[in-house]
PDB file of all heavy atoms in Angstrom:
ATOM      1  N   ILE A1045      14.212  61.948   6.470  1.00 97.00           N
ATOM      2  CA  ILE A1045      14.709  62.247   5.123  1.00 97.00           C
ATOM      3  C   ILE A1045      16.233  62.230   5.060  1.00 97.00           C
ATOM      4  O   ILE A1045      16.816  62.520   4.016  1.00 97.00           O
ATOM      5  CB  ILE A1045      14.165  63.585   4.580  1.00 97.00           C
ATOM      6  CG1 ILE A1045      14.832  64.785   5.252  1.00 97.00           C
ATOM      7  CG2 ILE A1045      12.654  63.657   4.720  1.00 97.00           C
ATOM      8  CD1 ILE A1045      14.563  66.102   4.538  1.00 97.00           C
ATOM      9  N   GLY A1046      16.892  61.886   6.166  1.00 96.00           N
ATOM     10  CA  GLY A1046      18.353  61.820   6.155  1.00 96.00           C
ATOM     11  C   GLY A1046      18.859  60.529   5.540  1.00 96.00           C
ATOM     12  O   GLY A1046      18.105  59.632   5.186  1.00 96.00           O
ATOM     13  N   GLY A1047      20.186  60.455   5.413  1.00 94.00           N
ATOM     14  CA  GLY A1047      20.829  59.247   4.924  1.00 94.00           C
ATOM     15  C   GLY A1047      21.177  59.254   3.457  1.00 94.00           C
ATOM     16  O   GLY A1047      21.849  58.330   2.973  1.00 94.00           O
ATOM     17  N   TYR A1048      20.769  60.293   2.707  1.00 95.00           N
ATOM     18  CA  TYR A1048      21.046  60.331   1.269  1.00 95.00           C
ATOM     19  C   TYR A1048      22.436  60.904   1.001  1.00 95.00           C
ATOM     20  O   TYR A1048      22.867  61.855   1.659  1.00 95.00           O
ATOM     21  CB  TYR A1048      19.968  61.142   0.541  1.00 95.00           C
ATOM     22  CG  TYR A1048      18.647  60.415   0.542  1.00 95.00           C
ATOM     23  CD1 TYR A1048      17.753  60.559   1.605  1.00 95.00           C
ATOM     24  CD2 TYR A1048      18.322  59.522  -0.471  1.00 95.00           C
ATOM     25  CE1 TYR A1048      16.564  59.850   1.642  1.00 95.00           C
ATOM     26  CE2 TYR A1048      17.133  58.818  -0.450  1.00 95.00           C
ATOM     27  CZ  TYR A1048      16.262  58.977   0.609  1.00 95.00           C
ATOM     28  OH  TYR A1048      15.101  58.256   0.648  1.00 95.00           O
ATOM     29  N   PRO A1049      23.164  60.331   0.037  1.00 95.00           N
ATOM     30  CA  PRO A1049      24.541  60.769  -0.224  1.00 95.00           C
ATOM     31  C   PRO A1049      24.600  62.158  -0.851  1.00 95.00           C
ATOM     32  O   PRO A1049      23.693  62.575  -1.578  1.00 95.00           O
ATOM     33  CB  PRO A1049      25.075  59.707  -1.188  1.00 95.00           C
ATOM     34  CG  PRO A1049      23.855  59.152  -1.858  1.00 95.00           C
ATOM     35  CD  PRO A1049      22.758  59.198  -0.823  1.00 95.00           C
ATOM     36  N   ILE A1050      25.681  62.870  -0.562  1.00 96.00           N
ATOM     37  CA  ILE A1050      25.936  64.192  -1.140  1.00 96.00           C
ATOM     38  C   ILE A1050      26.717  63.989  -2.441  1.00 96.00           C
ATOM     39  O   ILE A1050      27.820  63.425  -2.438  1.00 96.00           O
ATOM     40  CB  ILE A1050      26.737  65.076  -0.170  1.00 96.00           C
ATOM     41  CG1 ILE A1050      26.064  65.107   1.211  1.00 96.00           C
ATOM     42  CG2 ILE A1050      26.894  66.480  -0.743  1.00 96.00           C
ATOM     43  CD1 ILE A1050      24.625  65.543   1.218  1.00 96.00           C
ATOM     44  N   ALA A1051      26.149  64.426  -3.542  1.00 95.00           N
ATOM     45  CA  ALA A1051      26.699  64.105  -4.865  1.00 95.00           C
ATOM     46  C   ALA A1051      28.143  64.563  -5.037  1.00 95.00           C
ATOM     47  O   ALA A1051      28.970  63.844  -5.599  1.00 95.00           O
ATOM     48  CB  ALA A1051      25.815  64.719  -5.948  1.00 95.00           C
ATOM     49  N   SER A1052      28.473  65.758  -4.555  1.00 94.00           N
ATOM     50  CA  SER A1052      29.798  66.321  -4.790  1.00 94.00           C
ATOM     51  C   SER A1052      30.784  66.034  -3.666  1.00 94.00           C
ATOM     52  O   SER A1052      31.933  66.476  -3.728  1.00 94.00           O
ATOM     53  CB  SER A1052      29.684  67.841  -4.985  1.00 94.00           C
ATOM     54  OG  SER A1052      29.163  68.447  -3.811  1.00 94.00           O
ATOM     55  N   LEU A1053      30.319  65.314  -2.632  1.00 96.00           N
ATOM     56  CA  LEU A1053      31.170  65.047  -1.474  1.00 96.00           C
ATOM     57  C   LEU A1053      31.145  63.551  -1.157  1.00 96.00           C
ATOM     58  O   LEU A1053      30.376  63.099  -0.295  1.00 96.00           O
ATOM     59  CB  LEU A1053      30.704  65.848  -0.260  1.00 96.00           C
ATOM     60  CG  LEU A1053      30.751  67.373  -0.365  1.00 96.00           C
ATOM     61  CD1 LEU A1053      30.071  68.013   0.840  1.00 96.00           C
ATOM     62  CD2 LEU A1053      32.190  67.859  -0.478  1.00 96.00           C
ATOM     63  N   PRO A1054      31.966  62.766  -1.842  1.00 94.00           N
ATOM     64  CA  PRO A1054      31.994  61.324  -1.560  1.00 94.00           C
ATOM     65  C   PRO A1054      32.258  61.062  -0.078  1.00 94.00           C
ATOM     66  O   PRO A1054      33.086  61.729   0.541  1.00 94.00           O
ATOM     67  CB  PRO A1054      33.154  60.823  -2.436  1.00 94.00           C
ATOM     68  CG  PRO A1054      33.260  61.830  -3.538  1.00 94.00           C
ATOM     69  CD  PRO A1054      32.905  63.149  -2.913  1.00 94.00           C
ATOM     70  N   GLY A1055      31.530  60.108   0.478  1.00 95.00           N
ATOM     71  CA  GLY A1055      31.709  59.779   1.882  1.00 95.00           C
ATOM     72  C   GLY A1055      30.898  60.635   2.823  1.00 95.00           C
ATOM     73  O   GLY A1055      31.014  60.490   4.044  1.00 95.00           O
ATOM     74  N   LYS A1056      30.047  61.523   2.268  1.00 96.00           N
ATOM     75  CA  LYS A1056      29.194  62.382   3.097  1.00 96.00           C
ATOM     76  C   LYS A1056      27.723  62.097   2.787  1.00 96.00           C
ATOM     77  O   LYS A1056      27.373  61.661   1.688  1.00 96.00           O
ATOM     78  CB  LYS A1056      29.484  63.866   2.839  1.00 96.00           C
ATOM     79  CG  LYS A1056      30.919  64.289   3.161  1.00 96.00           C
ATOM     80  CD  LYS A1056      31.169  64.304   4.656  1.00 96.00           C
ATOM     81  CE  LYS A1056      32.554  64.838   4.969  1.00 96.00           C
ATOM     82  NZ  LYS A1056      32.822  64.868   6.435  1.00 96.00           N
ATOM     83  N   MET A1057      26.866  62.361   3.773  1.00 96.00           N
ATOM     84  CA  MET A1057      25.437  62.161   3.579  1.00 96.00           C
ATOM     85  C   MET A1057      24.658  63.180   4.405  1.00 96.00           C
ATOM     86  O   MET A1057      25.220  63.906   5.229  1.00 96.00           O
ATOM     87  CB  MET A1057      25.033  60.747   3.992  1.00 96.00           C
ATOM     88  CG  MET A1057      25.063  60.505   5.499  1.00 96.00           C
ATOM     89  SD  MET A1057      24.465  58.854   5.945  1.00 96.00           S
ATOM     90  CE  MET A1057      24.286  59.051   7.726  1.00 96.00           C
ATOM     91  N   VAL A1058      23.348  63.225   4.183  1.00 96.00           N
ATOM     92  CA  VAL A1058      22.471  64.086   4.968  1.00 96.00           C
ATOM     93  C   VAL A1058      22.288  63.472   6.357  1.00 96.00           C
ATOM     94  O   VAL A1058      22.016  62.277   6.492  1.00 96.00           O
ATOM     95  CB  VAL A1058      21.105  64.263   4.282  1.00 96.00           C
ATOM     96  CG1 VAL A1058      20.181  65.146   5.138  1.00 96.00           C
ATOM     97  CG2 VAL A1058      21.278  64.865   2.900  1.00 96.00           C
ATOM     98  N   ARG A1059      22.449  64.297   7.351  1.00 96.00           N
ATOM     99  CA  ARG A1059      22.337  63.848   8.737  1.00 96.00           C
ATOM    100  C   ARG A1059      20.956  63.253   9.024  1.00 96.00           C
ATOM    101  O   ARG A1059      19.930  63.801   8.619  1.00 96.00           O
ATOM    102  CB  ARG A1059      22.589  65.045   9.649  1.00 96.00           C
ATOM    103  CG  ARG A1059      22.597  64.764  11.136  1.00 96.00           C
ATOM    104  CD  ARG A1059      22.921  66.064  11.857  1.00 96.00           C
ATOM    105  NE  ARG A1059      22.750  65.942  13.296  1.00 96.00           N
ATOM    106  CZ  ARG A1059      22.813  66.972  14.142  1.00 96.00           C
ATOM    107  NH1 ARG A1059      23.040  68.197  13.662  1.00 96.00           N
ATOM    108  NH2 ARG A1059      22.658  66.793  15.433  1.00 96.00           N
ATOM    109  N   GLN A1060      20.957  62.142   9.698  1.00 95.00           N
ATOM    110  CA  GLN A1060      19.707  61.498  10.081  1.00 95.00           C
ATOM    111  C   GLN A1060      19.242  61.988  11.451  1.00 95.00           C
ATOM    112  O   GLN A1060      20.003  62.542  12.230  1.00 95.00           O
ATOM    113  CB  GLN A1060      19.884  59.978  10.101  1.00 95.00           C
ATOM    114  CG  GLN A1060      20.122  59.389   8.720  1.00 95.00           C
ATOM    115  CD  GLN A1060      20.376  57.899   8.777  1.00 95.00           C
ATOM    116  OE1 GLN A1060      21.391  57.450   9.283  1.00 95.00           O
ATOM    117  NE2 GLN A1060      19.443  57.127   8.263  1.00 95.00           N
ATOM    118  N   GLY A1061      17.963  61.774  11.718  1.00 95.00           N
ATOM    119  CA  GLY A1061      17.423  62.103  13.025  1.00 95.00           C
ATOM    120  C   GLY A1061      17.147  63.572  13.249  1.00 95.00           C
ATOM    121  O   GLY A1061      16.939  63.993  14.392  1.00 95.00           O
ATOM    122  N   ILE A1062      17.115  64.369  12.174  1.00 97.00           N
ATOM    123  CA  ILE A1062      16.870  65.807  12.308  1.00 97.00           C
ATOM    124  C   ILE A1062      15.566  66.217  11.626  1.00 97.00           C
ATOM    125  O   ILE A1062      14.742  66.914  12.206  1.00 97.00           O
ATOM    126  CB  ILE A1062      18.040  66.632  11.740  1.00 97.00           C
ATOM    127  CG1 ILE A1062      19.312  66.358  12.528  1.00 97.00           C
ATOM    128  CG2 ILE A1062      17.713  68.127  11.763  1.00 97.00           C
ATOM    129  CD1 ILE A1062      19.243  66.797  13.989  1.00 97.00           C
ATOM    130  N   VAL A1063      15.362  65.802  10.381  1.00 98.00           N
ATOM    131  CA  VAL A1063      14.172  66.198   9.631  1.00 98.00           C
ATOM    132  C   VAL A1063      13.314  64.965   9.363  1.00 98.00           C
ATOM    133  O   VAL A1063      13.732  64.041   8.673  1.00 98.00           O
ATOM    134  CB  VAL A1063      14.533  66.881   8.291  1.00 98.00           C
ATOM    135  CG1 VAL A1063      13.254  67.315   7.566  1.00 98.00           C
ATOM    136  CG2 VAL A1063      15.444  68.080   8.523  1.00 98.00           C
ATOM    137  N   PHE A1064      12.114  64.998   9.941  1.00 98.00           N
ATOM    138  CA  PHE A1064      11.137  63.942   9.716  1.00 98.00           C
ATOM    139  C   PHE A1064       9.939  64.524   8.974  1.00 98.00           C
ATOM    140  O   PHE A1064       9.644  65.710   9.087  1.00 98.00           O
ATOM    141  CB  PHE A1064      10.673  63.350  11.049  1.00 98.00           C
ATOM    142  CG  PHE A1064      11.759  62.652  11.820  1.00 98.00           C
ATOM    143  CD1 PHE A1064      12.553  63.365  12.711  1.00 98.00           C
ATOM    144  CD2 PHE A1064      11.981  61.288  11.660  1.00 98.00           C
ATOM    145  CE1 PHE A1064      13.560  62.733  13.435  1.00 98.00           C
ATOM    146  CE2 PHE A1064      12.986  60.649  12.376  1.00 98.00           C
ATOM    147  CZ  PHE A1064      13.778  61.370  13.264  1.00 98.00           C
ATOM    148  N   ARG A1065       9.253  63.676   8.232  1.00 98.00           N
ATOM    149  CA  ARG A1065       8.058  64.096   7.503  1.00 98.00           C
ATOM    150  C   ARG A1065       6.970  63.058   7.706  1.00 98.00           C
ATOM    151  O   ARG A1065       7.255  61.881   7.969  1.00 98.00           O
ATOM    152  CB  ARG A1065       8.358  64.275   6.017  1.00 98.00           C
ATOM    153  CG  ARG A1065       8.857  63.009   5.325  1.00 98.00           C
ATOM    154  CD  ARG A1065       9.185  63.242   3.863  1.00 98.00           C
ATOM    155  NE  ARG A1065       7.990  63.534   3.081  1.00 98.00           N
ATOM    156  CZ  ARG A1065       8.019  63.810   1.773  1.00 98.00           C
ATOM    157  NH1 ARG A1065       9.173  63.822   1.132  1.00 98.00           N
ATOM    158  NH2 ARG A1065       6.905  64.053   1.120  1.00 98.00           N
ATOM    159  N   SER A1066       5.707  63.482   7.561  1.00 97.00           N
ATOM    160  CA  SER A1066       4.611  62.535   7.756  1.00 97.00           C
ATOM    161  C   SER A1066       3.317  63.107   7.201  1.00 97.00           C
ATOM    162  O   SER A1066       3.243  64.267   6.796  1.00 97.00           O
ATOM    163  CB  SER A1066       4.423  62.226   9.249  1.00 97.00           C
ATOM    164  OG  SER A1066       3.796  63.309   9.920  1.00 97.00           O
ATOM    165  N   ALA A1067       2.282  62.254   7.208  1.00 93.00           N
ATOM    166  CA  ALA A1067       0.917  62.739   7.029  1.00 93.00           C
ATOM    167  C   ALA A1067       0.485  63.405   8.328  1.00 93.00           C
ATOM    168  O   ALA A1067       1.177  63.341   9.344  1.00 93.00           O
ATOM    169  CB  ALA A1067      -0.003  61.575   6.673  1.00 93.00           C
ATOM    170  N   GLU A1068      -0.684  64.042   8.298  1.00 90.00           N
ATOM    171  CA  GLU A1068      -1.117  64.780   9.500  1.00 90.00           C
ATOM    172  C   GLU A1068      -1.283  63.805  10.672  1.00 90.00           C
ATOM    173  O   GLU A1068      -1.811  62.707  10.520  1.00 90.00           O
ATOM    174  CB  GLU A1068      -2.383  65.583   9.216  1.00 90.00           C
ATOM    175  CG  GLU A1068      -3.622  64.780   8.904  1.00 90.00           C
ATOM    176  CD  GLU A1068      -4.404  64.468  10.157  1.00 90.00           C
ATOM    177  OE1 GLU A1068      -4.080  65.010  11.233  1.00 90.00           O
ATOM    178  OE2 GLU A1068      -5.340  63.660  10.067  1.00 90.00           O
ATOM    179  N   PRO A1069      -0.821  64.220  11.864  1.00 91.00           N
ATOM    180  CA  PRO A1069      -0.720  63.291  12.989  1.00 91.00           C
ATOM    181  C   PRO A1069      -1.819  63.415  14.047  1.00 91.00           C
ATOM    182  O   PRO A1069      -1.606  63.071  15.202  1.00 91.00           O
ATOM    183  CB  PRO A1069       0.630  63.689  13.595  1.00 91.00           C
ATOM    184  CG  PRO A1069       0.692  65.171  13.396  1.00 91.00           C
ATOM    185  CD  PRO A1069      -0.057  65.453  12.106  1.00 91.00           C
ATOM    186  N   SER A1070      -3.002  63.875  13.659  1.00 86.00           N
ATOM    187  CA  SER A1070      -4.034  64.132  14.661  1.00 86.00           C
ATOM    188  C   SER A1070      -4.519  62.867  15.356  1.00 86.00           C
ATOM    189  O   SER A1070      -5.081  62.938  16.446  1.00 86.00           O
ATOM    190  CB  SER A1070      -5.221  64.859  14.024  1.00 86.00           C
ATOM    191  OG  SER A1070      -5.835  64.045  13.034  1.00 86.00           O
ATOM    192  N   LYS A1071      -4.323  61.702  14.720  1.00 86.00           N
ATOM    193  CA  LYS A1071      -4.778  60.446  15.331  1.00 86.00           C
ATOM    194  C   LYS A1071      -3.710  59.810  16.217  1.00 86.00           C
ATOM    195  O   LYS A1071      -3.893  58.688  16.706  1.00 86.00           O
ATOM    196  CB  LYS A1071      -5.222  59.465  14.252  1.00 86.00           C
ATOM    197  CG  LYS A1071      -6.468  59.909  13.493  1.00 86.00           C
ATOM    198  CD  LYS A1071      -6.886  58.876  12.471  1.00 86.00           C
ATOM    199  CE  LYS A1071      -8.203  59.265  11.810  1.00 86.00           C
ATOM    200  NZ  LYS A1071      -8.103  60.511  11.064  1.00 86.00           N
ATOM    201  N   ALA A1072      -2.623  60.515  16.442  1.00 88.00           N
ATOM    202  CA  ALA A1072      -1.561  59.990  17.307  1.00 88.00           C
ATOM    203  C   ALA A1072      -2.053  59.952  18.755  1.00 88.00           C
ATOM    204  O   ALA A1072      -2.455  60.974  19.307  1.00 88.00           O
ATOM    205  CB  ALA A1072      -0.311  60.859  17.192  1.00 88.00           C
TER     206      ALA A1072
END
C-alpha cells in the first residue's frame, strides 16, 4: 500500500515495503 503521495508534503510519499495486504493466504 506504499508509494502514494502525501497531499500536504510535495515530494513525499508513503514508505513502500512495510504494509502489505492480501486475501487469506492459507493456500500459500
Side-chain angles (χ1 to χ4, degrees):
I1045 74 167
Y1048 290 87
I1050 308 304
S1052 62
L1053 297 172
K1056 299 289 185 180
M1057 71 176 192
V1058 179
R1059 183 178 171 188
Q1060 293 177 292
I1062 297 296
V1063 182
F1064 296 89
R1065 60 182 293 178
S1066 75
E1068 65 90 9
S1070 63
K1071 293 182 175 63

